[in-house]
Amino acid sequence: MSGQHQGPTLVIVAHGAQTLVDVEALGKQDPYLQLSLDVSNPKSFQKTFVHKDAGKTPTWNQTFSLPLAGEPELFVEIMDEETTADAVVAFAAIAINQVVHAPGGTMHGVFDVYTPAGKPAGELNLTLTAYNVPGQNTALAGQAGAPVKGTSHISEVHQKRVQSIKNKEMAADVGTAAVTGLLAVGAGFLANKLINDNKKEEEAKKEAERQRLEEQQRFEAEKKKLEADRASFSQQQQQQYHQSSSEQHGFHTQSVGGSIHGVSGGHYESSHSEKHDKHDKYDKHDKHGKKDKKDKKKKHHDGGSSSDSDSDSDSGSDNEHKKKKNKKSWNPVGHYSAGDKVKFEGRKYICLQSHDSNPTWAPTQAHSLWRAD
């Protein structure tokens, strides 16, 4: 076992404590143990975990290994964890010589601990083992049994340290008590002020709620007005589309049984047969035009009587027809084939699939039917 330690070492197993004094005013105390070989160096102390609500009988069973450099004493402190400043429960100094001279350099002992005022405060259960210490007892240690009574004492330097810790704890408590006292002294004034503040806060909340409701009502009214204006504008726009389309293409609108029935619920209904009749007229016109162009081209190729001026006239006519076709405004009740181009709201659009138009399928709305050119 000693081969595992390269130099003089003190190994401490902190088992627990019993019959401790209780420094907690409310509830159970939360003890932890901290220990060091150098009481003048606060950063040298190593700590166990905090045993929550352990009260007077905490248990830790944690092991610590401290290198020895001739230090004569081990300093132990039992603390109670607090939200402000941790409180000292007990402390003691344990001479290391009793461990060095114990059989095998091991001592399982119970050591008295003391309050900062120097009064008995309970017992601390430790197993201490010295390794590689010159002059240590190398006799075989006896079988582990009940702990023996070890010796501990109060070091004057150590006591000053724990009293300083105690003073810090008291100062924190006094600060808390001072705040509590001030609140108690001015309880009546503060209570009245609190009541008045609560009333003002409630009134402010009510006023804010009233303003919110008024703002919401104004918003709802403006929203309804905007929706009504938008519906009226949409209806006028649809009527303008219908009138413009009829004037451009010479469509004859009819009443019930005809093509267009008028506005019902914000949209138009169109006769399916009339749409196809219009489409057939456009097809016949296009076929007739294409046939004339084909005959003219054939005559020109065969050296017929067609002149260059006729060819230029035909070409100009074709270009004019395409130009008109490309500039044709979108008709909300027409028929469109894939590839047809229309002009809507100052932009050109290309038909993506054949369909019978509907006032609600404008190029800006029906993205599956139209694409911007």
Side-chain angles (χ1 to χ4, degrees):
M1 184 74 175
S2 61
Q4 298 178 3
H5 303 278
Q6 299 301 320
T9 306
L10 180 65
V11 176
I12 306 105
V13 180
H15 298 292
Q18 53 272 348
T19 64
L20 293 176
V21 294
D22 194 346
V23 298
E24 185 65 61
L26 297 174
K28 290 186 176 182
Q29 59 191 8
D30 306 315
Y32 66 90
L33 175 69
Q34 57 185 18
L35 45 85
S36 173
L37 294 172
D38 184 4
V39 71
S40 63
N41 183 8
K43 295 183 179 179
S44 67
F45 281 81
Q46 298 188 39
K47 301 178 181 180
T48 65
F49 68 90
V50 178
H51 191 166
K52 291 289 186 181
D53 296 327
K56 299 180 179 181
T57 56
T59 301
W60 302 295
N61 291 324
Q62 282 187 254
T63 302
F64 302 87
S65 181
L66 304 179
L68 285 170
E71 294 88 353
E73 294 173 318
L74 172 68
F75 302 96
V76 295
E77 298 170 357
I78 301 174
M79 308 292 294
D80 176 33
E81 186 181 55
E82 296 285 355
T83 55
T84 54
D86 292 351
V88 179
V89 178
F91 78 105
I94 299 173
I96 297 176
N97 279 338
Q98 62 185 321
V99 180
V100 174
H101 297 304
T106 299
M107 179 180 184
H108 181 197
V110 173
F111 303 91
D112 291 331
V113 289
Y114 309 92
T115 67
K119 296 181 181 180
E123 294 179 330
L124 179 63
N125 189 349
L126 304 174
T127 295
L128 305 173
T129 305
Y131 292 100
N132 303 326
V133 178
Q136 73 179 78
N137 190 343
T138 57
L140 294 176
Q143 293 182 351
V148 298
K149 186 68 174 180
T151 59
S152 61
H153 64 281
I154 297 175
S155 166
E156 183 178 352
V157 176
H158 193 191
Q159 188 175 24
K160 289 182 179 179
R161 167 185 156 81
V162 296
Q163 285 177 344
S164 175
I165 296 174
K166 180 70 175 177
N167 292 338
K168 291 180 181 178
E169 174 207 349
M170 292 178 64
D173 292 342
V174 168
T176 303
V179 173
T180 305
L182 289 174
L183 292 175
V185 170
F189 172 76
L190 293 175
N192 291 332
K193 186 177 184 303
L194 183 61
I195 292 173
N196 292 333
D197 290 345
N198 287 338
K199 288 182 178 179
K200 291 180 180 179
E201 185 178 355
E202 288 297 326
E203 290 175 357
K205 287 182 179 179
K206 290 180 180 179
E207 177 63 20
E209 179 66 15
R210 185 186 65 80
Q211 293 180 0
R212 187 189 68 82
L213 291 175
E214 289 182 355
E215 185 67 23
Q216 184 176 359
Q217 290 174 355
R218 284 196 297 269
F219 174 77
E220 292 294 336
E222 291 177 358
K223 181 180 178 182
K224 289 180 180 179
K225 184 177 182 302
L226 180 62
E227 290 176 350
D229 292 344
R230 186 178 298 170
S232 176
F233 175 77
S234 177
Q235 183 177 356
Q236 293 176 4
Q237 189 179 38
Q238 290 174 2
Q239 290 174 350
Q240 290 175 0
Y241 284 148
H242 167 60
Q243 182 179 359
S244 175
S245 176
S246 298
E247 291 175 354
Q248 290 178 6
H249 302 288
F251 291 156
H252 178 66
T253 58
Q254 298 178 354
S255 58
V256 179
S259 297
I260 302 175
H261 292 280
V263 180
S264 175
H267 82 279
Y268 293 80
E269 295 181 358
S270 176
S271 169
H272 183 70
S273 61
E274 182 188 7
K275 292 178 183 177
H276 282 282
D277 289 342
K278 295 171 185 177
H279 179 58
D280 291 340
K281 291 178 182 179
Y282 283 127
D283 288 345
K284 290 177 181 180
H285 177 72
D286 291 343
K287 290 178 180 180
H288 182 70
K290 291 179 180 178
K291 186 174 182 303
D292 291 343
K293 292 176 184 177
K294 187 175 180 182
D295 292 341
K296 289 180 180 180
K297 287 182 180 179
K298 184 175 180 182
K299 290 179 180 181
H300 179 71
H301 183 268
D302 294 338
S305 60
S306 297
S307 63
D308 292 339
S309 61
D310 293 337
S311 177
D312 292 340
S313 176
D314 291 340
S315 175
S317 178
D318 290 342
N319 291 334
E320 184 66 23
H321 179 72
K322 292 179 180 179
K323 187 175 182 181
K324 289 182 179 179
K325 182 180 180 182
N326 289 339
K327 289 186 177 180
K328 182 174 64 176
S329 297
W330 175 73
N331 181 12
V333 293
H335 177 83
Y336 292 98
S337 301
D340 286 351
K341 295 183 178 181
V342 299
K343 190 173 182 181
F344 182 73
E345 293 186 353
R347 296 191 62 181
K348 293 181 180 180
Y349 294 86
I350 298 177
C351 180
L352 300 178
Q353 53 182 307
S354 298
H355 65 280
D356 291 330
S357 185
N358 185 297
T360 61
W361 293 350
T364 56
Q365 301 295 328
H367 301 293
S368 62
L369 300 178
W370 297 98
R371 173 175 60 82
D373 189 2

